Amino acid sequence: MPNGLKTLTRYTIEQEHRHPGSSGEFSSLVNVVATATKIIANQVTRGAIIGTGGEEEPLSVSRRLDALTDDIMVAQTQWTGHLSGLLSERRATAPPVPATQRRGKYLLAYDALDGSSNIDVNLPVGSIFSILRTPQPVFEGTAAPADADFLQPGVEQVGAGFTLYGPATMLVLTTGSGVDGFTLDREIGAFVLTHPDMRIPVDTSGFAINAANERFWERPVRRYVQECLEGVDGPRGRDFNMRWVASLVADTFHILTRGGLYLYPRDTRNPARPGRVSLLYGANPIAFIVEQAGGAATTGHDRVMLVPPAQVHQRVPFIFGSRNEVLRIERYHSEPDAGPSFDSSLFGSRSLFRPAKHDQRT
């Protein structure tokens, strides 16, 4: 091992040393979660090799891995004694910490395989996790935490991270003192620090959005995207790039390394479900990471990490990335509907799918 190579284990121990009186439970929990993601990384790379599990009807690779990765996360974390409870994206109720195990002072909310549908077409996927303190004192024999114990705003998080399963397996982590990125070195079987102190540029010329939903967007988002599409000829005075991976972790990592803006905004399809990104195990941990890297995260109207959770599987609109672009989006949402005029249809003078009139060939 080269001199000075810093593994995740060494990193978390050094972080603990900065806090006299620390028990070591938090750093141990982070390393346990990292171990779970190493096992998940191995399963993800196997893809279609994984068997059908005896199902009468063969399941897609993504559905099999959804179930398998969730089981891995539970199996690796619930026995450690660090957790009072877990909250899984895939389960209607929290998987219990066995009564035979000591309950710890932390809660873990996670999505074991975000963007799992990408597996079927061999695109990047990832895991997301959020660590909270249990609001109840922990004593031997106490009852398991209730769903209400997880209903804490994002500012109460003590740690958050995600693992990206791409050409390299990357783990990005914050404990409230900046953001650091680690790469899995398969030769030694450990995450090593490769991206210290990750920072998001305050300005950007790139954005990520699912353009197929354009007809459902609210006016401020339509205005913002159209201004970007108009490029040097529009009010922004510069050209923008657009990309959409449909993997929250992949788009987040791109923004952390190159800047940009991610938009999964409120839309009008279902008034009862205006947001699409889970708050507790999606938006909150990503927002924590983004803010610690100098970016910002909003619903369009409110800072994400101040949104009071009403239910464990609550979903919210989610816009995050380079700070100045997020502030611009918030400003557009705060303006009255009778604000600056613009062509309200992207299929007018400038379209996502058709060139502008002066670009058309005869």
Side-chain angles (χ1 to χ4, degrees), residues 3 20 79 102 122 147 158 167 187 199 219 226 234-235 242 249 281 283 293 298 306 310 322 360:
N3 291 335
W79 62 270
R102 180 178 69 89
N122 202 28
D147 284 355
V158 294
E187 290 188 0
R199 302 294 296 175
R219 185 181 189 280
Q226 178 157 327
M242 186 180 73
V249 290
Y281 40 80
T298 182
L306 290 179
S322 295
Q360 294 177 353

Side-chain angles (χ1 to χ4, degrees), residues 48 74 88 91 111 124 152 214 219 226 262 301 325 354:
V74 173
S88 166
R91 306 186 187 212
D111 183 348
Q152 304 179 43
E214 177 263 343
R219 185 181 189 280
Q226 178 157 327
Y262 175 99
H301 298 275
E325 295 302 301
R354 188 176 68 233

